[in-house]
């Protein structure tokens, strides 16, 4: 059904299509359709290299900013504990590597 109000406040489908997220979605899915079209036409060209553009989906991580904020808050609260654990892990790692070197 056609809705007058789409997700994220876009008033029309064309409004979403020309927005940043619409262009990112298009760049992300277009290589699949180009590859399918070339296969259907028995073209010698190969468009599988274009699938690297799926990486553009990373730009849509803004939807999860709330979760990243919570994760950042948790890291900040445990910063001293994580630093102490990292130091102990580094000491064990260097000590173990030194013992392997000596006994080898």
């Amino acid at each position: 059904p056609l809705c007058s109000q789409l997700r994220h406040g876009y008033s029309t489908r064309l409004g979403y299509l020309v927005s940043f997220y619409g262009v990112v979605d298009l760049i992300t899915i277009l290589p699949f359709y180009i590859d399918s079209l070339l296969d259907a036409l028995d073209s010698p060209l190969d468009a599988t290299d274009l699938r690297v553009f799926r990486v553009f989906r990373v730009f849509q991580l803004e939807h999860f900013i709330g979760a990243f904020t919570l994760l950042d808050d948790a890291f900040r609260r445990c910063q001293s504990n994580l630093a102490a654990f990292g130091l102990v892990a580094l000491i064990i790692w260097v000590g173990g590597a030194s013992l392997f070197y000596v006994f080898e």
Side-chain angles (χ1 to χ4, degrees), residues 35-75:
D35 193 31
S36 298
L37 179 69
L38 291 176
D39 285 344
L41 297 175
D42 291 327
S43 174
L45 299 174
D46 188 19
T48 54
D49 297 335
L50 295 176
R51 292 186 185 205
V52 77
F53 288 114
R54 290 182 180 176
V55 172
F56 281 104
R57 292 293 271 184
V58 172
F59 291 133
Q60 292 192 343
L61 288 178
E62 185 178 320
H63 298 294
F64 304 108
I65 290 294
F68 286 130
T69 302
L70 290 174
L71 188 62
D72 183 49
D73 292 344
F75 278 127

Side-chain angles (χ1 to χ4, degrees), residues 1-19 21-22 25 63:
L2 293 175
C3 300
S4 62
Q5 187 70 20
L6 296 176
R7 193 171 139 184
H8 302 296
Y10 299 110
S11 60
T12 63
R13 292 176 191 233
L14 182 62
Y16 175 75
L17 186 64
V18 297
S19 71
Y21 294 116
D25 280 338
H63 298 294

